Amino acid sequence: MNASKILVAAAMLTLAASGSAFAFHDGGVAYCDGCHTMHNSSGNKSMSGGRNTALTGWNAAGKASTTQFQGNAFLLQGSDDSSTCLNCHAANDATGSGYHVMTFPAPAVNAAAPVERTPGGDFAWLTQTFPKAGYAAQSIGERHGHNVVAQDYGLTADATLLTAPGGQYDAKALSCASCHDPHSRARIVDANGTIAYAKPGQKVLPIGASGSYGAVADANTATGVYRLLGGANYSQMSYSNPLAFNADPPVAVAPSAYNRTEGTSDTRVAYGQGMSEWCSNCHRSIHNDNTNAANTALIHPAGNGAKLTAAANDLNGNATGTTIAALYNAYKSSGDLTGTQAASYSSLVPYEEGTGVIATLAAHADTTGTQTAGPTTGAENVMCLSCHRAHATGFNSMTRWNNNSEFLTVAGAWPDFAAAAGSDSLKNSNGMNQAVYQAAMYDRPASKFAYDQRSLCNKCHAKD
Amino acid sequence: MFMKKPTTRKKSIADALPTVAKWLLLAVFLLAGVNAEAKLDYLYNLSNFNGPIASSWVNFGIDTAQKELYVVNPSDQSVDVFDKSGLVVHSFGDDGEFGVIRGLTLDDSGTIYLLSNIGTHFRVFVANFRGALQEELKLEGLSPLFTDDFRPDRIFCRKGHLYLVDTQQFKVLMTDLRGRYEDGFSFASIIGVNYKKRSDFDIRGFTIDGDGTIIFSIPVQSQVYLLSPDKKLKSFGQRGSSPGKFNVVGGVAADDKGHLYVADTLRCVIMIFDRTDDFKFLGEYGYRGFATGNLIAPMEVAVLGDLVYVSQSANRGVSVYRFASE
């Protein structure tokens, strides 16, 4: 059989119109040998090849093999599960592209910035320890995100936070599969974001497509859940959760081209519901689902019940005279509260819409700059991702902006570690050169903010 | 016009035989167990005087005249030059003079062309054989296809032409050695990719052979494509994890003997195919592991004479193999 295909351009144009996708996951479990080797043998040679004994982490001694017919733990082909994922999801890109979540190799600190711009962030920020600047604490790489262990890609366990803050998850076990279920039993079975699971004694629809981009389940097929996130009772084979997952995956819709610069327009992921509840699977004690009208819980609310209709100071003498939503809509930048609801949305401070209706969310997922409306229904709520990115950022505590110093911009420009000694620009730089700082803000120009912009906490609280 | 010279297929005795005779000949070969395999023998890792140099997923440039390999490390923007024995003989670029170097290529005179990203813009610098900056190349007369969002990430020099390739936009720009526009095109539609969905189709390996055929791999399709200068398209590849199949296909390279070298990042092998014989699989080498000659997540591949260079992850550096026929 002739193995090659000789094709001419005209014939292929017909195929182009079909727009066929060749996704690997398609919302559920992919083909098995995409990650595993069944017998640790191919062509009568060992496939797993063992692990790097000079490194530590998930693949502890005894779990890997160089012997044919004795494979790595869980029959994986990579050194560990995150390394297996990053074989596809890391890239040596010039600019962010596709499904890449890590710039690899990571750039030297301040020589260049990680280039991937997914809403979750680029794991290469974990390798970027910036020099101390000003009075603020040093911005250390391992504080920039979730420290997944990926030996082949130079990512090591968090050496400071040994368990998940607010939980018990062991930092040494943290991997992509801690959050994303590569086999994804969870699925969305209707147009309203209802989630069901394949389990013994129960029949559910098979997964037919990704559930991250607005596809809707029909009578025959379900869609996957957002980003293959693990659902209730999700547990890896490689690690037994000390706290069993008790929350369903969130419902959300991302625009299809989500890894892009936000220099000219935002990448708006339409978050629906359940994100904070899902984060609490590991960070349980941090989670406070409801607004705290009595001001007694003393923890920032985030979750389905933390509505943006909560009372707020109207800055006109009335402590509870307005709502968080109204402030969000009015806030444009430090000192400028002339914004309107129609144009107030910022992907630097996203919120959940309080709905699981896929079509509603899909209508708002956008990269064109046309979906700029802020909260209006009264159902919207604050969530963990209102302030944090899920993977990593350039800033401590994986926040979307720098909370490590007072000002985000200085004299109309991004701060700069290369600025003159003792200058405000240097003191507020987080140790980053100006170009790197701008990259960490997803390439936005400083001109989009105030001349001396303060923390974006003020998007909701307007204290500046 | 883009280069019109068609690729040629070597004539063999088999071409002159009638079909029945070809089948008989094939049967004889199969029964006799004849299988013209190719082989890669591991030689060493690229080194300095202190031993092997640690690096991950570096990019390559080739100086065929001097038989030197240029290694671009995107991590620190350095360029190391290696002689045929795999020892570094010169370095430049790490002072930041060229910005973030993405790749480089050399013309027949040894002049170096460096592709650099500075912010969201790109620049092409010209340097002498020592890597000393001579000038920035000004691209002139570009068609509208290359004036807006064109962000090349690969650069090649072949037979007096510069090729700048934007693998994310599926665009190839061809200029002369002074940067003057000669030709350019988008190849998304040629390979059947909906342009709006092109980000789903990650191009990993990319090279241009001596005849101007562009060769690239797309992992999600488990395919390697060859697009000749007259826009004739060939492709091959089967998804799978057994020998000769593509699991997560990576870098590609071509030699002047008709062989294609294809890295599989997940299976950690370098596969060899015969492009003159319907991409017949000739063998694969490396295999995942930390032992001598093994590979970890191989990515870029380059060929210089009978030497095959492979970049990999985990700071495993660049492994060098020698090609041999069996």
Side-chain angles (χ1 to χ4, degrees):
Chain A
M1 180 179 171
N2 190 332
S4 71
K5 292 166 275 183
I6 301 175
L7 306 165
V8 295
M12 293 306 293
L13 284 171
T14 307
L15 283 174
S18 69
S20 309
F22 291 85
F24 176 75
H25 298 286
D26 279 320
V29 62
Y31 41 84
C32 305
D33 64 350
C35 302
H36 302 280
T37 165
M38 309 309 140
H39 315 113
N40 187 24
S41 180
S42 178
N44 209 22
K45 299 278 179 58
S46 168
M47 290 186 76
S48 76
R51 67 190 183 90
N52 183 353
T53 54
L55 299 174
T56 59
W58 171 87
N59 212 352
K63 286 186 176 178
S65 171
T66 56
T67 306
Q68 192 180 6
F69 310 124
Q70 294 178 30
N72 277 349
F74 314 108
L75 307 184
L76 282 172
Q77 291 195 48
S79 286
D80 46 53
D81 37 9
S82 296
S83 293
T84 305
C85 301
L86 289 172
N87 281 331
C88 288
H89 289 284
N92 181 1
D93 281 334
T95 56
S97 75
Y99 43 79
H100 302 150
V101 298
M102 181 181 181
T103 304
F104 187 77
V109 173
N110 273 333
V115 302
E116 308 300 345
R117 299 283 187 271
T118 62
D122 189 324
F123 281 109
W125 288 112
L126 293 172
T127 69
Q128 307 290 294
T129 292
F130 297 103
K132 182 168 169 44
Y135 306 113
Q138 187 177 15
S139 184
I140 297 171
E142 73 168 14
R143 297 276 57 79
H144 292 165
H146 276 115
N147 289 271
V148 295
V149 177
Q151 291 185 353
D152 294 350
Y153 295 85
L155 299 179
T156 55
D158 194 320
T160 305
L161 300 177
L162 302 182
T163 56
Q168 300 170 28
Y169 203 99
D170 187 349
K172 295 193 299 298
L174 190 63
S175 73
C176 304
S178 299
C179 301
H180 304 276
D181 178 359
H183 306 124
S184 194
R185 290 183 308 111
R187 64 207 66 202
I188 299 174
V189 295
D190 62 21
N192 296 318
T194 303
I195 290 171
Y197 299 89
K199 55 186 176 184
Q202 183 168 309
K203 181 180 180 180
V204 292
L205 292 172
I207 297 171
S210 170
S212 298
Y213 307 107
V216 177
D218 60 25
N220 297 312
T221 60
T223 65
V225 293
Y226 186 66
R227 299 301 185 213
L228 301 176
L229 292 172
N233 293 317
Y234 170 58
S235 183
Q236 301 163 256
M237 287 292 288
S238 58
Y239 180 67
S240 296
N241 290 348
L243 292 173
F245 274 33
N246 62 1
D248 286 337
V251 179
V253 174
S256 57
Y258 52 87
N259 188 357
R260 55 183 288 281
T261 177
E262 298 189 45
T264 56
S265 63
D266 284 7
T267 299
R268 181 167 186 168
V269 177
Y271 295 102
Q273 61 188 24
M275 182 60 75
S276 301
E277 287 73 11
W278 183 84
C279 295
S280 76
N281 281 322
C282 289
H283 302 287
R284 200 156 299 175
S285 298
I286 286 180
H287 182 59
N288 175 26
D289 189 30
N290 297 301
T291 52
N292 183 27
N295 196 24
T296 55
L298 305 181
I299 186 171
H300 194 291
N304 294 339
K307 299 300 182 189
L308 299 185
T309 51
N313 192 316
D314 69 358
L315 312 178
N316 199 27
N318 301 301
T320 57
T322 188
T323 64
I324 295 292
L327 291 180
Y328 186 103
N329 287 331
Y331 190 90
K332 293 178 76 174
S333 61
S334 293
D336 186 349
L337 294 172
T338 63
T340 62
Q341 183 272 332
S344 68
Y345 179 81
S346 170
S347 64
L348 280 172
V349 193
Y351 53 83
E352 285 184 311
E353 298 186 22
T355 180
V357 177
I358 303 299
T360 300
L361 298 173
H364 296 157
D366 178 60
T367 58
T368 64
T370 57
Q371 295 297 322
T372 58
T376 184
T377 67
E380 297 90 350
N381 61 270
V382 64
M383 59 172 175
C384 303
L385 297 188
S386 296
C387 306
H388 304 277
R389 293 190 190 276
H391 292 164
T393 75
F395 308 113
N396 282 0
S397 301
M398 53 200 289
T399 51
R400 292 174 180 267
W401 63 91
N402 184 21
N403 285 293
N404 209 13
S405 56
E406 288 174 290
F407 294 103
L408 303 185
T409 63
V410 176
W414 294 120
D416 189 356
F417 183 68
S423 66
D424 286 341
S425 185
L426 183 148
K427 288 177 180 175
N428 287 279
S429 69
N430 201 43
M432 297 164 147
N433 285 347
Q434 198 169 53
V436 175
Y437 198 110
Q438 182 169 7
M441 297 299 284
Y442 280 44
D443 309 315
R444 290 171 171 83
S447 59
K448 285 194 171 184
F449 300 86
Y451 186 79
D452 286 317
Q453 175 68 46
R454 293 177 187 257
S455 170
L456 294 181
C457 295
N458 292 297
K459 178 68 173 166
C460 291
H461 298 289
K463 303 298 185 190
D464 59 338
Chain B
M1 282 297 293
F2 192 64
M3 297 174 69
K4 286 290 186 183
K5 183 182 177 184
T7 53
T8 56
R9 184 174 183 272
K10 292 178 181 176
K11 289 284 185 182
S12 68
I13 295 173
D15 289 325
L17 294 175
T19 303
V20 174
K22 287 179 184 175
W23 280 109
L24 286 172
L25 195 59
L26 176 62
V28 169
F29 272 110
L30 289 174
L31 288 171
V34 174
N35 187 12
E37 287 193 346
K39 184 181 174 189
L40 294 182
D41 293 320
Y42 173 75
L43 297 179
Y44 44 72
N45 272 37
L46 294 183
S47 304
N48 57 26
F49 288 110
N50 296 318
I53 298 173
S55 65
S56 292
W57 284 9
V58 294
N59 300 322
F60 299 124
I62 298 281
D63 184 347
T64 50
Q66 298 298 320
K67 299 190 186 320
E68 290 178 332
L69 179 80
Y70 286 65
V71 172
V72 178
N73 190 336
S75 178
D76 60 7
Q77 290 86 56
S78 67
V79 177
D80 288 338
V81 186
F82 294 86
D83 65 14
K84 200 175 179 182
S85 64
L87 270 178
V88 65
V89 294
H90 185 57
S91 299
F92 64 92
D94 54 357
D95 59 358
E97 186 176 23
F98 300 106
V100 181
I101 303 171
R102 294 291 314 173
L104 65 75
T105 189
L106 294 95
D107 66 17
D108 293 340
S109 69
T111 297
I112 303 169
Y113 300 83
L114 298 110
L115 174 62
S116 170
N117 289 104
I118 297 176
T120 56
H121 304 290
F122 73 93
R123 300 164 80 175
V124 179
F125 294 105
V126 181
N128 67 14
F129 70 99
R130 293 191 182 91
L133 175 64
Q134 303 296 292
E135 62 175 323
E136 179 180 348
L137 201 65
K138 301 296 182 191
L139 301 179
E140 299 173 354
L142 301 185
S143 75
L145 191 63
F146 300 99
T147 53
D148 295 328
D149 57 353
F150 183 59
R151 300 279 185 276
D153 52 2
R154 315 286 175 107
I155 186 169
F156 301 92
C157 183
R158 300 288 185 267
K159 295 184 176 176
H161 306 283
L162 275 181
Y163 297 79
L164 291 163
V165 185
D166 182 339
T167 59
Q168 293 185 26
Q169 302 285 334
F170 290 66
K171 291 178 181 178
V172 176
L173 167 66
M174 194 170 125
T175 74
D176 66 13
L177 297 182
R178 299 302 308 151
R180 291 179 290 242
Y181 179 83
E182 292 184 332
D183 195 9
F185 61 96
S186 169
F187 57 93
S189 62
I190 296 176
I191 63 168
V193 166
N194 183 326
Y195 189 73
K196 290 182 178 177
K197 295 187 174 182
R198 65 189 183 281
S199 62
D200 291 343
F201 298 83
D202 173 30
I203 292 176
R204 279 292 171 108
F206 198 104
T207 192
I208 299 179
D209 73 6
D211 291 325
T213 295
I214 68 174
I215 305 168
F216 57 97
S217 64
I218 298 185
V220 294
Q221 293 180 310
S222 297
Q223 289 285 295
V224 168
Y225 291 95
L226 295 88
L227 184 61
S228 65
D230 58 355
K231 311 290 199 297
K232 290 289 192 301
L233 183 72
K234 295 181 180 181
S235 69
F236 72 100
Q238 286 182 284
R239 194 208 66 74
S241 57
S242 56
K245 293 183 179 176
F246 297 169
N247 216 330
V248 179
V249 64
V252 293
D255 68 13
D256 56 5
K257 303 181 188 71
H259 300 117
L260 286 177
Y261 302 82
V262 180
D264 192 303
T265 306
L266 182 63
R267 295 201 302 113
C268 300
V269 294
I270 303 301
M271 293 169 276
I272 309 174
F273 297 90
D274 185 351
R275 63 192 290 188
T276 69
D277 189 10
D278 287 334
F279 306 105
K280 180 182 177 182
F281 173 61
L282 300 178
E284 64 182 28
Y285 299 90
Y287 291 98
R288 180 181 171 77
F290 294 87
T292 302
N294 284 154
L295 296 167
I296 296 295
M299 183 54 71
E300 295 295 330
V301 187
V303 179
L304 179 56
D306 60 353
L307 299 182
V308 179
Y309 301 86
V310 183
S311 72
Q312 51 192 317
S313 73
N315 264 335
R316 293 268 298 164
V318 176
S319 293
V320 186
Y321 300 83
R322 187 185 302 282
F323 172 86
S325 294
E326 284 189 328

